[in-house]
Each structure stands twice: as C-alpha cells, then as structure tokens.
Amino acid sequence: MTSTQPEKRSSRSAKILYRPWGLVASVLGGLIAGQVFQQVWKRVDPTSTDDPPKPLESEYPLQKILLAALVQGAIFSVVRALINRGGARLFERWTGEWPGD
C-alpha cells in the first residue's frame, strides 16, 4: 500500500523530546481505554454485575474470557493509536518536527 502524503522527517532530538509526552499520553490512553472497556463490556454482557472476567477466574467459561480479552485488546489498540497519533500531530504543530519514524 502506498501513501499519497509525503513522508515526514524526524530528527533525533524530536524523538528524544517526544518521549516524556509519549509516556504521559500512553498512561492517559490506558486510563481512557479502561473506562471505555468497562462501558462496552456492560453492553456486551448486560447480565454481568461484576467486572469483566479475568483469565484465572475459574467460574467463567473460556468463551466468555476470550470474548472479554478480544474486546479489551481491540479497544486498547484503537485508543492507543488515536492517542499516539494525536500526540504526534500536536508535537509537530508545536515544534515543526514529526517525532516518529
């Protein structure tokens, strides 16, 4: 797949300066994703009054545990991608340099 946008250049200093921002964004993204997952899980399994099942909780069938893991993984991946991309764009707007690549 080819991109129609020109490749953005990044300097070593931009990558280093972005690291603290990236760490904060990752933690924030994890918190947001956790909250989103809790709300989505309530809709996926409306009969559940507890938190989503964890792999070592024997009272849940494997199918339910795998579904919870699938939903959680998808949400975390999408939220992480959105947060990282948005953070990189904001960093570029402030500094004029793309922090990735």
Side-chain angles (χ1 to χ4, degrees):
M1 182 192 288
T2 59
S3 176
T4 58
Q5 295 180 344
E7 183 177 326
K8 297 180 181 195
R9 298 285 178 194
S10 173
S11 69
R12 183 172 167 83
S13 61
K15 290 179 185 180
I16 292 170
L17 289 172
Y18 181 73
R19 280 186 187 160
W21 170 257
L23 289 172
V24 169
S26 292
V27 170
L28 180 63
L31 294 172
I32 292 170
Q35 293 300 313
V36 170
F37 173 60
Q38 291 289 336
Q39 296 305 310
V40 169
W41 185 254
K42 287 178 185 176
R43 287 171 178 74
V44 169
D45 187 11
T47 61
S48 177
T49 58
D50 299 331
D51 289 334
K54 294 177 181 65
L56 297 179
E57 293 178 335
S58 61
E59 66 269 19
Y60 295 103
L62 180 60
Q63 180 180 353
K64 191 174 219 178
I65 289 171
L66 293 178
L67 177 62
L70 178 72
V71 171
Q72 184 179 35
I75 289 170
F76 272 77
S77 293
V78 168
V79 170
R80 181 175 178 217
L82 289 170
I83 296 279
N84 285 341
R85 188 63 174 209
R89 286 185 186 264
L90 188 60
F91 182 86
E92 181 185 34
R93 209 173 297 143
W94 286 343
T95 66
E97 292 192 62
W98 185 255
D101 301 329

